[in-house]
Amino acid sequence: MTRVSTAELSERLPDILIRVVERAERFVVERDGVAVAVIQPPAVQPGPTLHQLPALLADVDWPDTDFFNELEVVRAEMNVPVEPPQWPS
């Protein structure tokens, strides 16, 4: 855990928050040499945002059309009818 004074915290808050978020660093904030606070990542990390989703999906290998054709062959061989669900009226 890195120790910072309250003065240093006020001067470097953006940098410290970036380190907390991106590197999961923890900081002990001290006033006159006495610990008064701890800055750390939340216990539960948030998942990706909707804004980040396209970038995360960019590298996904999607099944090609052969995959879906093979599924149809397997379904036909198993002789399992596929019926659309009945919606309540």
Side-chain angles (χ1 to χ4, degrees):
M1 234 185 295
T2 305
R3 297 184 173 281
V4 293
S5 67
T6 53
E8 185 179 3
L9 176 65
S10 68
E11 292 174 9
R12 298 185 41 223
L13 182 60
D15 174 57
I16 288 172
L17 291 178
I18 287 170
R19 290 169 61 182
V20 169
V21 171
E22 293 181 359
R23 301 182 204 155
E25 288 188 51
R26 297 175 65 195
F27 290 83
V28 175
V29 182
E30 296 179 338
R31 181 185 300 144
D32 298 325
V34 177
V36 294
V38 176
I39 301 175
Q40 64 186 20
V44 176
Q45 295 294 324
T49 64
L50 190 57
H51 179 74
Q52 296 167 323
L53 192 57
L56 293 172
L57 293 176
D59 295 330
V60 172
D61 291 330
W62 297 99
D64 58 14
T65 53
D66 288 338
F67 172 78
F68 296 106
N69 293 336
E70 290 171 11
L71 284 180
E72 283 299 314
V73 169
V74 169
R75 186 195 59 77
E77 288 175 356
M78 293 178 66
N79 198 20
V80 176
V82 176
E83 297 181 21
Q86 298 297 317
W87 295 97
S89 310

